[in-house]
Amino acid sequence: MVVVSRNLRSKLYLIGSGPGDPDLLTIKAYKILEKADVLLFDHLVNPEILTIVPENCVKVYVGKEPYANFTPQESIHSLIEQYCRTYKCVVRLKGGDPYIFGRGFEELLFAEELGIEVEYIPGISSMQGAGFHNIPLTHRDVSDGIWALTGTKKDGRLSSDLQLAIQSNSTVVIYMGMKKLDEIARTYVMCGKGDTPAAIIQCATLPGQREVVCEVADLLNASRDSGLSHPAIIVIGEVVRLYASNRNSFILNDQLAKMKRN
């Protein structure tokens, strides 16, 4: 690998753009975007955020659309090297937070190996979007913590940690799991916890946000019946019942799902 001089004046900023609503962007991220020379942005970045950069900023889409076209990570690395050789302020803008299933640390390691200075600016993770649906990720006497798991590992498998998480008294949040709803449900059922409350939240914090609440065993049917798809997170645990108990939606969705199966 060709090593870039340590005297290179460019700087790479790894910035999280949050779950979608541009108002949730941090002030520090906003200030950096205002002076960006290059913007390498992901699929889930709100287009409104792209208008913050200067008019002469070079904007390059490097998104990974789920189950569709994507930019290989190696290509993103090459673009980082290319633009950091020419421009002073290069921004790598990701949805959510760069270090939560965002491969941000891979890009940091790559850039630092080339001698490029890197600064990480966190973003609100999409799992925190559950709060916009009045689902707390933790609650005293209900949830002891949070398991944040990927629904699709590099080899395509569901995280094996799910079976450990099921045995805990904590909330389980699954990213990139919409293609694994049946497998997630079966895993809970096999562990004797198919009646655990669950929610699918699509496009959290955006005007078109939607959710469905059901028992975890009914995840697939509930998703199909409501027409929900990605981008979405899956929240599983007793914290979902707190949301549902205030609206009777858990009971209603459960009854509808059972009626349709019968």
Side-chain angles (χ1 to χ4, degrees):
M1 179 182 292
V2 177
V3 178
V4 178
S5 170
R6 294 279 173 183
N7 295 321
L8 192 67
R9 294 180 56 203
S10 64
K11 187 171 182 178
L12 174 67
Y13 293 90
L14 292 174
I15 297 179
S17 66
D21 183 349
D23 288 343
L24 296 176
L25 192 71
T26 66
I27 293 174
K28 188 169 188 178
Y30 189 95
K31 290 179 178 179
I32 297 301
L33 286 169
E34 283 187 311
K35 64 177 185 179
D37 297 315
V38 177
L39 181 67
L40 305 174
F41 64 97
D42 276 354
H43 172 64
L44 293 178
V45 173
N46 192 314
E48 288 185 41
I49 295 176
L50 304 182
T51 65
I52 299 172
V53 300
E55 287 188 10
N56 62 345
C57 176
V58 179
K59 291 184 282 190
V60 182
Y61 173 75
V62 291
K64 297 181 176 70
E65 188 174 353
Y67 318 114
N69 295 329
F70 67 94
T71 305
Q73 190 63 46
E74 294 75 15
S75 298
I76 296 174
H77 287 173
S78 296
L79 289 170
I80 288 173
E81 179 178 2
Q82 172 188 331
Y83 286 113
C84 283
R85 286 181 178 276
T86 309
Y87 296 90
K88 184 177 180 180
C89 181
V90 179
V91 172
R92 178 70 176 97
L93 187 63
K94 295 171 175 285
D97 181 271
Y99 287 176
I100 301 180
F101 304 119
R103 297 188 181 181
F105 198 68
E106 293 179 33
E107 293 169 12
L108 175 139
L109 293 175
F110 173 81
E112 287 194 337
E113 190 173 339
L114 296 176
I116 300 167
E117 183 181 358
V118 184
E119 182 173 346
Y120 159 69
I121 300 176
I124 294 175
S125 177
S126 58
M127 71 177 177
Q128 292 170 272
F132 289 83
H133 298 261
N134 294 320
I135 298 176
L137 294 179
T138 64
H139 186 68
R140 187 165 51 180
D141 299 327
V142 174
S143 172
D144 293 341
I146 307 165
W147 287 74
L149 305 175
T150 177
T152 308
K153 295 174 64 176
K154 187 175 182 180
D155 59 7
R157 293 184 295 117
L158 179 67
S159 173
S160 58
D161 282 354
L162 180 60
Q163 293 195 16
L164 295 173
I166 291 173
Q167 304 305 320
S168 72
N169 189 36
S170 296
T171 305
V172 177
V173 181
I174 301 176
Y175 292 71
M176 300 169 287
M178 291 302 287
K179 289 288 188 180
K180 300 292 179 65
L181 292 177
D182 188 43
E183 185 177 350
I184 293 167
R186 282 189 283 108
T187 303
Y188 269 84
V189 170
M190 287 189 296
C191 292
K193 294 193 175 184
D195 60 349
T196 305
I200 302 173
I201 303 173
Q202 177 180 306
C203 297
T205 78
L206 293 173
Q209 64 183 12
R210 299 172 60 204
E211 82 280 342
V212 65
V213 177
C214 62
E215 290 186 350
V216 70
D218 295 318
L219 274 174
L220 184 58
N221 288 330
S223 171
R224 288 173 174 172
D225 294 342
S226 59
L228 294 187
S229 183
H230 56 77
I233 58 169
I234 305 154
V235 182
I236 307 170
E238 290 301 318
V239 292
V240 177
R241 200 183 301 278
L242 297 174
Y243 161 86
S245 64
N246 291 330
R247 294 163 177 76
N248 294 321
S249 57
F250 182 84
I251 297 173
L252 177 60
N253 276 283
D254 184 45
Q255 290 175 341
L256 288 174
K258 288 178 180 177
M259 288 173 61
K260 289 180 179 180
R261 287 199 301 272
N262 295 331

